[in-house]
């Protein structure tokens, strides 16, 4: 069973506009959520995270929002840049060191 | 600063063959893990270790063995490869655990089982 779901396999946005990537989870025991970015032929790299006690975390152009009641989180990138084109993975973990990942969303930012 | 190093980067096996994917990290991280990435499935946890001598199963452990004799190394063994194990494998590490911070990933090992 996939406990972390990213229902949009791909997203295309224009440079300078906002990119919104969505993620849903089913396990209410998750208490830490992360976004990773992956370029082709490379390993995923950490982008931003949020604890379940918060509803927003911001780091430069990247903001993650958490809605615990809806079991939903989203990543906002504004303004989007061509270098942001990559696959983005949502991940969630709890106290048992079992981090679960979504299937990923391929973001393309067009110049 | 090597970080997490995986070898080999590419490997082709025949069904039934065995092999070991190597993973080493030089950051003195206690936590290490192995994931496989398949299209439409994202990254799935195979096995993980919270320290030398301690290993545990993840989401998809069948067909794989691990051991953790040192803090630095966490090899993944395929005892009898099957076509279903064709995938890209990622090793990751973290200072204290998956629930406390981001994972550092290696560059991946692409395995094809014929």
């Amino acid at each position: 069973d996939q406990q972390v779901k990213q229902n949009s396999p791909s997203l295309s946005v224009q440079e300078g506009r906002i990119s919104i990537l969505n993620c849903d989870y089913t396990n209410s025991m998750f208490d830490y959520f992360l976004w990773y970015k992956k370029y082709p032929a490379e390993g995923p790299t950490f982008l931003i995270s949020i604890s379940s006690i918060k509803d927003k975390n911001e780091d430069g152009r990247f903001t993650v929002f958490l809605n615990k009641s809806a079991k939903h989180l989203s990543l906002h990138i504004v303004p989007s840049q061509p270098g942001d084109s990559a696959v983005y993975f949502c991940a969630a973990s709890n106290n048992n060191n079992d981090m679960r990942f979504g299937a990923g969303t391929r973001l393309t930012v067009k110049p | 600063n090597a970080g997490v190093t995986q070898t080999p980067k590419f490997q082709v096996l025949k069904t039934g063959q065995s092999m070991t994917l190597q993973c080493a990290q030089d950051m003195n991280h206690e936590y290490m893990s192995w994931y496989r990435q398949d299209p439409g499935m994202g990254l799935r946890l195979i096995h993980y270790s919270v320290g030398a001598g301690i290993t545990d199963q993840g989401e998809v452990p069948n067909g794989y063995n691990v051991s953790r004799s040192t803090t630095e190394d966490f090899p993944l063994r395929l005892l009898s490869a099957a076509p279903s194990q064709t995938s890209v494998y990622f090793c990751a590490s973290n200072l204290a655990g998956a629930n406390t911070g981001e994972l550092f990933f290696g560059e991946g090992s692409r395995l094809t089982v014929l």
Side-chain angles (χ1 to χ4, degrees):
Chain A
D1 65 330
Q2 219 162 356
Q3 298 184 27
V4 178
K5 298 179 183 179
Q6 294 176 257
N7 292 321
S8 298
S10 63
L11 174 68
S12 182
V13 301
Q14 208 66 33
E15 181 179 6
R17 306 296 292 269
I18 185 171
S19 295
I20 300 177
L21 295 93
N22 293 303
C23 177
D24 298 293
Y25 62 96
T26 58
N27 188 344
S28 58
M29 298 302 292
F30 288 140
D31 58 5
Y32 198 69
F33 304 89
L34 308 92
W35 286 93
Y36 288 83
K37 179 179 180 179
K38 185 183 180 305
Y39 292 117
E42 295 183 8
T45 55
F46 170 76
L47 188 57
I48 192 169
S49 64
I50 187 167
S51 165
S52 60
I53 62 173
K54 296 185 176 181
D55 55 18
K56 177 182 174 182
N57 187 27
E58 191 172 351
D59 183 2
R61 296 185 297 113
F62 304 91
T63 303
V64 57
F65 295 93
L66 175 62
N67 182 335
K68 283 187 293 183
S69 61
K71 294 190 178 66
H72 177 83
L73 65 156
S74 61
L75 173 68
H76 293 211
I77 306 173
V78 56
S80 301
Q81 300 174 354
D84 296 329
S85 297
V87 177
Y88 290 79
F89 290 101
C90 170
S93 69
N94 56 23
N95 286 334
N96 69 357
N97 286 299
D98 187 348
M99 184 175 287
R100 299 294 178 107
F101 285 78
T105 297
R106 181 177 301 277
L107 173 66
T108 302
V109 180
K110 298 180 179 179
Chain B
N1 53 343
V4 179
T5 303
Q6 290 182 233
T7 56
K9 285 187 168 43
F10 301 94
Q11 183 71 50
V12 178
L13 291 177
K14 294 181 180 178
T15 296
Q17 286 184 316
S18 63
M19 78 155 299
T20 299
L21 297 176
Q22 302 290 344
C23 176
Q25 52 92 8
D26 60 359
M27 298 174 282
N28 202 30
H29 285 173
E30 289 294 327
Y31 177 88
M32 295 185 74
S33 54
W34 276 102
Y35 286 84
R36 58 178 288 174
Q37 183 193 6
D38 301 292
M41 304 292 289
L43 293 155
R44 291 183 292 169
L45 181 64
I46 305 171
H47 285 284
Y48 65 92
S49 167
V50 297
I54 307 169
T55 63
D56 209 343
Q57 296 181 351
E59 189 181 358
V60 287
N62 293 341
Y64 307 94
N65 278 355
V66 292
S67 60
R68 185 92 180 273
S69 57
T70 67
T71 299
E72 294 78 21
D73 301 298
F74 191 45
L76 178 72
R77 297 183 186 85
L78 285 72
L79 300 179
S80 179
S84 61
Q85 293 178 304
T86 294
S87 186
V88 181
Y89 292 84
F90 290 98
C91 179
S93 74
N94 177 270
L95 184 61
N99 58 319
T100 59
E102 67 270 24
L103 300 179
F104 294 83
F105 284 88
E107 293 187 339
S109 299
R110 182 176 293 275
L111 175 66
T112 301
V113 183
L114 302 176

